[in-house]
Amino acid sequence: MSRRAPRSAFIQSNRLVIGVDIAKDASVAVAQDGSGGLTKPLKFSMTQLGFGALKAFAEKETESAGVDDWVVALEPTRHYGIPLVSRLLDDGIEVLRVEPLHTNRAKEFYDGTRRKTDA
């Protein structure tokens, strides 16, 4: 989980960011393009089938947004995310770690509330 991309490659307008909230059994993913547009959330299981659903979701949303590439951003969640992160890295997909404090502040910025739900 220590593979890193150059800092300039993290978030760019030609990339789709797939934010994932990891949980023990089922996780939630949402895609955001460079203009800030969000998709409907995708709930997926932490299984090989669920990982395939996440990848299909990301590829479909990348095509819909007309962007070149996608990355996955997630908060550190103890050991629950290790299988997902390992699978994504094995598939050559870039994974970014986002601190929970940053996620909380971004939520406040976007809609003016402090309430943060998984979806």
Side-chain angles (χ1 to χ4, degrees), residues 13-61:
S13 61
N14 65 338
R15 293 181 122 186
L16 193 68
V17 177
I18 309 293
V20 177
D21 185 36
I22 296 176
K24 182 178 181 181
D25 297 316
S27 299
V28 178
V30 67
Q32 182 173 20
D33 61 21
S35 67
L38 297 173
T39 64
K40 289 185 178 181
L42 167 75
K43 188 173 182 178
F44 65 98
S45 62
M46 296 298 280
T47 63
Q48 293 298 329
L49 188 60
F51 300 158
L54 174 64
K55 191 170 180 180
F57 167 78
E59 289 170 354
K60 176 183 168 260
E61 296 302 334

mmCIF file of all heavy atoms in Angstrom, residues 13-61:
data_model
loop_
_atom_site.group_PDB
_atom_site.id
_atom_site.type_symbol
_atom_site.label_atom_id
_atom_site.label_comp_id
_atom_site.label_asym_id
_atom_site.label_seq_id
_atom_site.Cartn_x
_atom_site.Cartn_y
_atom_site.Cartn_z
ATOM 1 N N SER A 13 -8.014 17.632 -14.067
ATOM 2 C CA SER A 13 -9.333 17.795 -14.678
ATOM 3 C C SER A 13 -9.681 16.664 -15.643
ATOM 4 O O SER A 13 -10.851 16.428 -15.914
ATOM 5 C CB SER A 13 -9.414 19.144 -15.397
ATOM 6 O OG SER A 13 -8.449 19.200 -16.418
ATOM 7 N N ASN A 14 -8.696 15.948 -16.151
ATOM 8 C CA ASN A 14 -8.979 14.853 -17.073
ATOM 9 C C ASN A 14 -9.062 13.499 -16.367
ATOM 10 O O ASN A 14 -8.962 12.460 -16.998
ATOM 11 C CB ASN A 14 -7.934 14.793 -18.185
ATOM 12 C CG ASN A 14 -6.552 14.467 -17.656
ATOM 13 O OD1 ASN A 14 -6.265 14.682 -16.473
ATOM 14 N ND2 ASN A 14 -5.701 13.960 -18.503
ATOM 15 N N ARG A 15 -9.255 13.531 -15.041
ATOM 16 C CA ARG A 15 -9.362 12.307 -14.251
ATOM 17 C C ARG A 15 -10.664 12.304 -13.474
ATOM 18 O O ARG A 15 -11.126 13.337 -13.003
ATOM 19 C CB ARG A 15 -8.226 12.196 -13.244
ATOM 20 C CG ARG A 15 -6.882 12.018 -13.849
ATOM 21 C CD ARG A 15 -5.871 11.894 -12.785
ATOM 22 N NE ARG A 15 -5.216 10.612 -12.981
ATOM 23 C CZ ARG A 15 -4.333 10.108 -12.164
ATOM 24 N NH1 ARG A 15 -4.019 10.725 -11.064
ATOM 25 N NH2 ARG A 15 -3.780 8.959 -12.422
ATOM 26 N N LEU A 16 -11.205 11.154 -13.300
ATOM 27 C CA LEU A 16 -12.382 10.965 -12.462
ATOM 28 C C LEU A 16 -11.895 10.450 -11.117
ATOM 29 O O LEU A 16 -11.032 9.568 -11.064
ATOM 30 C CB LEU A 16 -13.306 9.930 -13.117
ATOM 31 C CG LEU A 16 -14.705 9.813 -12.570
ATOM 32 C CD1 LEU A 16 -15.503 11.081 -12.892
ATOM 33 C CD2 LEU A 16 -15.395 8.608 -13.174
ATOM 34 N N VAL A 17 -12.405 11.011 -10.042
ATOM 35 C CA VAL A 17 -12.041 10.553 -8.708
ATOM 36 C C VAL A 17 -13.190 9.706 -8.181
ATOM 37 O O VAL A 17 -14.331 10.173 -8.098
ATOM 38 C CB VAL A 17 -11.765 11.730 -7.755
ATOM 39 C CG1 VAL A 17 -11.455 11.218 -6.351
ATOM 40 C CG2 VAL A 17 -10.632 12.585 -8.282
ATOM 41 N N ILE A 18 -12.894 8.483 -7.831
ATOM 42 C CA ILE A 18 -13.878 7.584 -7.240
ATOM 43 C C ILE A 18 -13.611 7.575 -5.743
ATOM 44 O O ILE A 18 -12.612 7.043 -5.280
ATOM 45 C CB ILE A 18 -13.746 6.143 -7.804
ATOM 46 C CG1 ILE A 18 -13.740 6.124 -9.321
ATOM 47 C CG2 ILE A 18 -14.829 5.250 -7.200
ATOM 48 C CD1 ILE A 18 -15.017 6.527 -9.967
ATOM 49 N N GLY A 19 -14.497 8.209 -4.998
ATOM 50 C CA GLY A 19 -14.384 8.225 -3.536
ATOM 51 C C GLY A 19 -15.053 6.990 -2.975
ATOM 52 O O GLY A 19 -16.178 6.658 -3.340
ATOM 53 N N VAL A 20 -14.353 6.289 -2.090
ATOM 54 C CA VAL A 20 -14.892 5.059 -1.515
ATOM 55 C C VAL A 20 -14.899 5.179 -0.002
ATOM 56 O O VAL A 20 -13.889 5.507 0.610
ATOM 57 C CB VAL A 20 -14.055 3.824 -1.933
ATOM 58 C CG1 VAL A 20 -14.593 2.567 -1.274
ATOM 59 C CG2 VAL A 20 -14.030 3.673 -3.439
ATOM 60 N N ASP A 21 -16.067 4.923 0.585
ATOM 61 C CA ASP A 21 -16.184 4.823 2.032
ATOM 62 C C ASP A 21 -16.189 3.333 2.353
ATOM 63 O O ASP A 21 -17.135 2.622 1.994
ATOM 64 C CB ASP A 21 -17.453 5.502 2.528
ATOM 65 C CG ASP A 21 -17.515 5.517 4.043
ATOM 66 O OD1 ASP A 21 -16.452 5.675 4.681
ATOM 67 O OD2 ASP A 21 -18.620 5.358 4.586
ATOM 68 N N ILE A 22 -15.136 2.875 2.987
ATOM 69 C CA ILE A 22 -14.960 1.450 3.237
ATOM 70 C C ILE A 22 -15.627 1.054 4.544
ATOM 71 O O ILE A 22 -15.499 1.735 5.551
ATOM 72 C CB ILE A 22 -13.462 1.099 3.281
ATOM 73 C CG1 ILE A 22 -12.853 1.375 1.913
ATOM 74 C CG2 ILE A 22 -13.258 -0.346 3.687
ATOM 75 C CD1 ILE A 22 -11.373 1.165 1.860
ATOM 76 N N ALA A 23 -16.313 -0.071 4.505
ATOM 77 C CA ALA A 23 -16.921 -0.654 5.691
ATOM 78 C C ALA A 23 -16.593 -2.139 5.722
ATOM 79 O O ALA A 23 -16.066 -2.690 4.742
ATOM 80 C CB ALA A 23 -18.428 -0.436 5.680
ATOM 81 N N LYS A 24 -16.933 -2.788 6.817
ATOM 82 C CA LYS A 24 -16.582 -4.192 6.996
ATOM 83 C C LYS A 24 -17.172 -5.096 5.918
ATOM 84 O O LYS A 24 -16.471 -5.894 5.325
ATOM 85 C CB LYS A 24 -17.044 -4.655 8.370
ATOM 86 C CG LYS A 24 -16.683 -6.078 8.694
ATOM 87 C CD LYS A 24 -17.120 -6.440 10.087
ATOM 88 C CE LYS A 24 -16.745 -7.869 10.429
ATOM 89 N NZ LYS A 24 -17.199 -8.218 11.771
ATOM 90 N N ASP A 25 -18.467 -4.974 5.668
ATOM 91 C CA ASP A 25 -19.127 -5.874 4.725
ATOM 92 C C ASP A 25 -19.443 -5.231 3.382
ATOM 93 O O ASP A 25 -19.272 -5.848 2.348
ATOM 94 C CB ASP A 25 -20.420 -6.410 5.336
ATOM 95 C CG ASP A 25 -20.156 -7.229 6.580
ATOM 96 O OD1 ASP A 25 -19.220 -8.054 6.547
ATOM 97 O OD2 ASP A 25 -20.859 -7.040 7.580
ATOM 98 N N ALA A 26 -19.957 -4.012 3.401
ATOM 99 C CA ALA A 26 -20.340 -3.334 2.163
ATOM 100 C C ALA A 26 -19.792 -1.916 2.183
ATOM 101 O O ALA A 26 -19.833 -1.237 3.202
ATOM 102 C CB ALA A 26 -21.857 -3.310 2.004
ATOM 103 N N SER A 27 -19.290 -1.478 1.054
ATOM 104 C CA SER A 27 -18.708 -0.145 0.926
ATOM 105 C C SER A 27 -19.529 0.670 -0.061
ATOM 106 O O SER A 27 -20.344 0.120 -0.802
ATOM 107 C CB SER A 27 -17.261 -0.247 0.469
ATOM 108 O OG SER A 27 -16.508 -0.958 1.423
ATOM 109 N N VAL A 28 -19.301 1.984 -0.061
ATOM 110 C CA VAL A 28 -20.030 2.881 -0.943
ATOM 111 C C VAL A 28 -19.021 3.682 -1.756
ATOM 112 O O VAL A 28 -18.054 4.196 -1.209
ATOM 113 C CB VAL A 28 -20.939 3.838 -0.134
ATOM 114 C CG1 VAL A 28 -21.651 4.805 -1.056
ATOM 115 C CG2 VAL A 28 -21.938 3.059 0.695
ATOM 116 N N ALA A 29 -19.271 3.771 -3.069
ATOM 117 C CA ALA A 29 -18.407 4.541 -3.957
ATOM 118 C C ALA A 29 -19.240 5.595 -4.676
ATOM 119 O O ALA A 29 -20.411 5.372 -4.986
ATOM 120 C CB ALA A 29 -17.747 3.626 -4.986
ATOM 121 N N VAL A 30 -18.634 6.746 -4.919
ATOM 122 C CA VAL A 30 -19.259 7.804 -5.711
ATOM 123 C C VAL A 30 -18.164 8.417 -6.572
ATOM 124 O O VAL A 30 -17.014 8.499 -6.162
ATOM 125 C CB VAL A 30 -19.965 8.850 -4.812
ATOM 126 C CG1 VAL A 30 -18.976 9.633 -3.984
ATOM 127 C CG2 VAL A 30 -20.846 9.764 -5.621
ATOM 128 N N ALA A 31 -18.528 8.800 -7.792
ATOM 129 C CA ALA A 31 -17.552 9.379 -8.717
ATOM 130 C C ALA A 31 -17.747 10.882 -8.788
ATOM 131 O O ALA A 31 -18.873 11.374 -8.765
ATOM 132 C CB ALA A 31 -17.713 8.765 -10.101
ATOM 133 N N GLN A 32 -16.624 11.610 -8.875
ATOM 134 C CA GLN A 32 -16.656 13.060 -9.020
ATOM 135 C C GLN A 32 -15.710 13.451 -10.141
ATOM 136 O O GLN A 32 -14.552 13.047 -10.158
ATOM 137 C CB GLN A 32 -16.238 13.743 -7.723
ATOM 138 C CG GLN A 32 -16.309 15.250 -7.803
ATOM 139 C CD GLN A 32 -16.057 15.914 -6.466
ATOM 140 O OE1 GLN A 32 -15.480 15.329 -5.565
ATOM 141 N NE2 GLN A 32 -16.481 17.141 -6.335
ATOM 142 N N ASP A 33 -16.248 14.256 -11.084
ATOM 143 C CA ASP A 33 -15.401 14.704 -12.192
ATOM 144 C C ASP A 33 -14.741 16.039 -11.837
ATOM 145 O O ASP A 33 -14.945 16.581 -10.761
ATOM 146 C CB ASP A 33 -16.193 14.796 -13.497
ATOM 147 C CG ASP A 33 -17.343 15.793 -13.435
ATOM 148 O OD1 ASP A 33 -17.342 16.696 -12.577
ATOM 149 O OD2 ASP A 33 -18.257 15.664 -14.273
ATOM 150 N N GLY A 34 -13.933 16.551 -12.754
ATOM 151 C CA GLY A 34 -13.178 17.777 -12.518
ATOM 152 C C GLY A 34 -14.031 18.990 -12.253
ATOM 153 O O GLY A 34 -13.589 19.943 -11.611
ATOM 154 N N SER A 35 -15.292 18.990 -12.712
ATOM 155 C CA SER A 35 -16.172 20.140 -12.478
ATOM 156 C C SER A 35 -16.940 20.019 -11.174
ATOM 157 O O SER A 35 -17.717 20.903 -10.824
ATOM 158 C CB SER A 35 -17.161 20.292 -13.643
ATOM 159 O OG SER A 35 -18.044 19.195 -13.664
ATOM 160 N N GLY A 36 -16.759 18.918 -10.433
ATOM 161 C CA GLY A 36 -17.423 18.741 -9.146
ATOM 162 C C GLY A 36 -18.704 17.940 -9.219
ATOM 163 O O GLY A 36 -19.348 17.712 -8.202
ATOM 164 N N GLY A 37 -19.107 17.496 -10.405
ATOM 165 C CA GLY A 37 -20.326 16.710 -10.541
ATOM 166 C C GLY A 37 -20.191 15.346 -9.892
ATOM 167 O O GLY A 37 -19.171 14.692 -10.026
ATOM 168 N N LEU A 38 -21.246 14.922 -9.177
ATOM 169 C CA LEU A 38 -21.238 13.637 -8.485
ATOM 170 C C LEU A 38 -22.227 12.672 -9.119
ATOM 171 O O LEU A 38 -23.268 13.076 -9.625
ATOM 172 C CB LEU A 38 -21.620 13.821 -7.012
ATOM 173 C CG LEU A 38 -20.691 14.672 -6.157
ATOM 174 C CD1 LEU A 38 -21.306 14.889 -4.781
ATOM 175 C CD2 LEU A 38 -19.344 14.002 -6.021
ATOM 176 N N THR A 39 -21.910 11.396 -9.056
ATOM 177 C CA THR A 39 -22.811 10.359 -9.536
ATOM 178 C C THR A 39 -23.643 9.827 -8.376
ATOM 179 O O THR A 39 -23.387 10.154 -7.216
ATOM 180 C CB THR A 39 -22.022 9.185 -10.136
ATOM 181 O OG1 THR A 39 -21.248 8.577 -9.089
ATOM 182 C CG2 THR A 39 -21.127 9.631 -11.263
ATOM 183 N N LYS A 40 -24.581 8.975 -8.692
ATOM 184 C CA LYS A 40 -25.305 8.258 -7.646
ATOM 185 C C LYS A 40 -24.333 7.282 -6.999
ATOM 186 O O LYS A 40 -23.464 6.725 -7.662
ATOM 187 C CB LYS A 40 -26.476 7.486 -8.237
ATOM 188 C CG LYS A 40 -27.604 8.361 -8.694
ATOM 189 C CD LYS A 40 -28.765 7.505 -9.162
ATOM 190 C CE LYS A 40 -29.913 8.394 -9.586
ATOM 191 N NZ LYS A 40 -31.073 7.603 -10.027
ATOM 192 N N PRO A 41 -24.480 7.054 -5.692
ATOM 193 C CA PRO A 41 -23.573 6.126 -5.013
ATOM 194 C C PRO A 41 -23.761 4.682 -5.481
ATOM 195 O O PRO A 41 -24.853 4.269 -5.848
ATOM 196 C CB PRO A 41 -23.972 6.247 -3.542
ATOM 197 C CG PRO A 41 -24.780 7.479 -3.428
ATOM 198 C CD PRO A 41 -25.392 7.712 -4.765
ATOM 199 N N LEU A 42 -22.678 3.942 -5.464
ATOM 200 C CA LEU A 42 -22.686 2.515 -5.744
ATOM 201 C C LEU A 42 -22.348 1.795 -4.447
ATOM 202 O O LEU A 42 -21.294 2.057 -3.852
ATOM 203 C CB LEU A 42 -21.637 2.150 -6.800
ATOM 204 C CG LEU A 42 -21.348 0.652 -6.941
ATOM 205 C CD1 LEU A 42 -22.486 -0.042 -7.675
ATOM 206 C CD2 LEU A 42 -20.021 0.419 -7.624
ATOM 207 N N LYS A 43 -23.222 0.921 -3.991
ATOM 208 C CA LYS A 43 -22.931 0.097 -2.815
ATOM 209 C C LYS A 43 -22.411 -1.238 -3.330
ATOM 210 O O LYS A 43 -23.025 -1.856 -4.206
ATOM 211 C CB LYS A 43 -24.195 -0.105 -1.986
ATOM 212 C CG LYS A 43 -23.944 -0.783 -0.663
ATOM 213 C CD LYS A 43 -25.209 -0.794 0.183
ATOM 214 C CE LYS A 43 -24.914 -1.428 1.523
ATOM 215 N NZ LYS A 43 -26.090 -1.427 2.387
ATOM 216 N N PHE A 44 -21.267 -1.668 -2.817
ATOM 217 C CA PHE A 44 -20.680 -2.918 -3.283
ATOM 218 C C PHE A 44 -20.106 -3.700 -2.108
ATOM 219 O O PHE A 44 -19.743 -3.135 -1.083
ATOM 220 C CB PHE A 44 -19.608 -2.678 -4.357
ATOM 221 C CG PHE A 44 -18.404 -1.930 -3.870
ATOM 222 C CD1 PHE A 44 -17.254 -2.603 -3.500
ATOM 223 C CD2 PHE A 44 -18.415 -0.546 -3.796
ATOM 224 C CE1 PHE A 44 -16.128 -1.912 -3.064
ATOM 225 C CE2 PHE A 44 -17.299 0.159 -3.363
ATOM 226 C CZ PHE A 44 -16.152 -0.529 -2.990
ATOM 227 N N SER A 45 -20.061 -5.014 -2.264
ATOM 228 C CA SER A 45 -19.547 -5.879 -1.207
ATOM 229 C C SER A 45 -18.021 -5.952 -1.281
ATOM 230 O O SER A 45 -17.425 -5.712 -2.320
ATOM 231 C CB SER A 45 -20.148 -7.281 -1.341
ATOM 232 O OG SER A 45 -19.771 -7.842 -2.583
ATOM 233 N N MET A 46 -17.438 -6.315 -0.180
ATOM 234 C CA MET A 46 -15.984 -6.453 -0.115
ATOM 235 C C MET A 46 -15.592 -7.873 -0.518
ATOM 236 O O MET A 46 -14.987 -8.627 0.236
ATOM 237 C CB MET A 46 -15.490 -6.113 1.293
ATOM 238 C CG MET A 46 -15.739 -4.660 1.683
ATOM 239 S SD MET A 46 -14.882 -3.499 0.617
ATOM 240 C CE MET A 46 -13.245 -3.581 1.311
ATOM 241 N N THR A 47 -15.968 -8.228 -1.735
ATOM 242 C CA THR A 47 -15.682 -9.532 -2.312
ATOM 243 C C THR A 47 -15.125 -9.313 -3.717
ATOM 244 O O THR A 47 -15.163 -8.201 -4.238
ATOM 245 C CB THR A 47 -16.962 -10.379 -2.428
ATOM 246 O OG1 THR A 47 -17.865 -9.719 -3.334
ATOM 247 C CG2 THR A 47 -17.639 -10.561 -1.074
ATOM 248 N N GLN A 48 -14.666 -10.377 -4.340
ATOM 249 C CA GLN A 48 -14.172 -10.265 -5.709
ATOM 250 C C GLN A 48 -15.270 -9.752 -6.635
ATOM 251 O O GLN A 48 -15.017 -8.940 -7.512
ATOM 252 C CB GLN A 48 -13.645 -11.616 -6.204
ATOM 253 C CG GLN A 48 -12.391 -12.089 -5.484
ATOM 254 C CD GLN A 48 -11.211 -11.146 -5.679
ATOM 255 O OE1 GLN A 48 -11.054 -10.483 -6.692
ATOM 256 N NE2 GLN A 48 -10.356 -11.063 -4.664
ATOM 257 N N LEU A 49 -16.493 -10.209 -6.422
ATOM 258 C CA LEU A 49 -17.623 -9.753 -7.233
ATOM 259 C C LEU A 49 -17.866 -8.252 -7.016
ATOM 260 O O LEU A 49 -18.091 -7.506 -7.972
ATOM 261 C CB LEU A 49 -18.879 -10.548 -6.871
ATOM 262 C CG LEU A 49 -20.098 -10.333 -7.748
ATOM 263 C CD1 LEU A 49 -19.806 -10.720 -9.197
ATOM 264 C CD2 LEU A 49 -21.263 -11.155 -7.216
ATOM 265 N N GLY A 50 -17.777 -7.817 -5.770
ATOM 266 C CA GLY A 50 -17.948 -6.392 -5.461
ATOM 267 C C GLY A 50 -16.846 -5.543 -6.065
ATOM 268 O O GLY A 50 -17.096 -4.445 -6.572
ATOM 269 N N PHE A 51 -15.614 -6.048 -6.046
ATOM 270 C CA PHE A 51 -14.498 -5.303 -6.630
ATOM 271 C C PHE A 51 -14.700 -5.156 -8.138
ATOM 272 O O PHE A 51 -14.401 -4.115 -8.721
ATOM 273 C CB PHE A 51 -13.166 -5.987 -6.345
ATOM 274 C CG PHE A 51 -12.841 -6.141 -4.880
ATOM 275 C CD1 PHE A 51 -11.940 -7.096 -4.456
ATOM 276 C CD2 PHE A 51 -13.440 -5.337 -3.920
ATOM 277 C CE1 PHE A 51 -11.624 -7.248 -3.115
ATOM 278 C CE2 PHE A 51 -13.140 -5.483 -2.570
ATOM 279 C CZ PHE A 51 -12.236 -6.441 -2.167
ATOM 280 N N GLY A 52 -15.221 -6.212 -8.763
ATOM 281 C CA GLY A 52 -15.520 -6.146 -10.194
ATOM 282 C C GLY A 52 -16.606 -5.118 -10.485
ATOM 283 O O GLY A 52 -16.533 -4.386 -11.475
ATOM 284 N N ALA A 53 -17.609 -5.045 -9.596
ATOM 285 C CA ALA A 53 -18.682 -4.055 -9.764
ATOM 286 C C ALA A 53 -18.127 -2.641 -9.641
ATOM 287 O O ALA A 53 -18.523 -1.745 -10.399
ATOM 288 C CB ALA A 53 -19.778 -4.288 -8.725
ATOM 289 N N LEU A 54 -17.191 -2.428 -8.715
ATOM 290 C CA LEU A 54 -16.572 -1.116 -8.556
ATOM 291 C C LEU A 54 -15.798 -0.731 -9.812
ATOM 292 O O LEU A 54 -15.909 0.395 -10.301
ATOM 293 C CB LEU A 54 -15.645 -1.095 -7.340
ATOM 294 C CG LEU A 54 -14.824 0.173 -7.154
ATOM 295 C CD1 LEU A 54 -15.723 1.389 -6.901
ATOM 296 C CD2 LEU A 54 -13.820 0.008 -6.025
ATOM 297 N N LYS A 55 -15.040 -1.663 -10.341
ATOM 298 C CA LYS A 55 -14.244 -1.377 -11.541
ATOM 299 C C LYS A 55 -15.156 -1.074 -12.734
ATOM 300 O O LYS A 55 -14.910 -0.131 -13.490
ATOM 301 C CB LYS A 55 -13.316 -2.547 -11.850
ATOM 302 C CG LYS A 55 -12.293 -2.226 -12.903
ATOM 303 C CD LYS A 55 -11.251 -3.318 -13.017
ATOM 304 C CE LYS A 55 -10.235 -2.965 -14.077
ATOM 305 N NZ LYS A 55 -9.216 -3.992 -14.233
ATOM 306 N N ALA A 56 -16.232 -1.842 -12.890
ATOM 307 C CA ALA A 56 -17.181 -1.596 -13.983
ATOM 308 C C ALA A 56 -17.849 -0.227 -13.816
ATOM 309 O O ALA A 56 -18.023 0.516 -14.789
ATOM 310 C CB ALA A 56 -18.234 -2.699 -14.021
ATOM 311 N N PHE A 57 -18.205 0.127 -12.578
ATOM 312 C CA PHE A 57 -18.796 1.429 -12.271
ATOM 313 C C PHE A 57 -17.832 2.544 -12.664
ATOM 314 O O PHE A 57 -18.205 3.514 -13.330
ATOM 315 C CB PHE A 57 -19.113 1.496 -10.764
ATOM 316 C CG PHE A 57 -19.444 2.856 -10.236
ATOM 317 C CD1 PHE A 57 -20.699 3.411 -10.438
ATOM 318 C CD2 PHE A 57 -18.506 3.576 -9.498
ATOM 319 C CE1 PHE A 57 -21.017 4.660 -9.919
ATOM 320 C CE2 PHE A 57 -18.813 4.816 -8.982
ATOM 321 C CZ PHE A 57 -20.070 5.361 -9.196
ATOM 322 N N ALA A 58 -16.570 2.409 -12.264
ATOM 323 C CA ALA A 58 -15.566 3.436 -12.554
ATOM 324 C C ALA A 58 -15.346 3.590 -14.056
ATOM 325 O O ALA A 58 -15.245 4.710 -14.568
ATOM 326 C CB ALA A 58 -14.256 3.094 -11.852
ATOM 327 N N GLU A 59 -15.272 2.484 -14.767
ATOM 328 C CA GLU A 59 -15.053 2.557 -16.216
ATOM 329 C C GLU A 59 -16.259 3.180 -16.925
ATOM 330 O O GLU A 59 -16.101 3.984 -17.843
ATOM 331 C CB GLU A 59 -14.734 1.167 -16.753
ATOM 332 C CG GLU A 59 -13.351 0.702 -16.314
ATOM 333 C CD GLU A 59 -13.052 -0.757 -16.617
ATOM 334 O OE1 GLU A 59 -13.962 -1.479 -17.084
ATOM 335 O OE2 GLU A 59 -11.906 -1.164 -16.378
ATOM 336 N N LYS A 60 -17.470 2.841 -16.497
ATOM 337 C CA LYS A 60 -18.678 3.423 -17.091
ATOM 338 C C LYS A 60 -18.731 4.926 -16.834
ATOM 339 O O LYS A 60 -18.999 5.714 -17.746
ATOM 340 C CB LYS A 60 -19.916 2.753 -16.499
ATOM 341 C CG LYS A 60 -21.227 3.352 -16.968
ATOM 342 C CD LYS A 60 -22.398 2.656 -16.271
ATOM 343 C CE LYS A 60 -23.674 3.415 -16.496
ATOM 344 N NZ LYS A 60 -24.046 4.246 -15.367
ATOM 345 N N GLU A 61 -18.453 5.342 -15.611
ATOM 346 C CA GLU A 61 -18.502 6.765 -15.265
ATOM 347 C C GLU A 61 -17.374 7.547 -15.929
ATOM 348 O O GLU A 61 -17.547 8.713 -16.285
ATOM 349 C CB GLU A 61 -18.479 6.956 -13.744
ATOM 350 C CG GLU A 61 -19.690 6.390 -13.029
ATOM 351 C CD GLU A 61 -21.018 6.968 -13.504
ATOM 352 O OE1 GLU A 61 -21.045 8.111 -14.013
ATOM 353 O OE2 GLU A 61 -22.033 6.263 -13.378
#
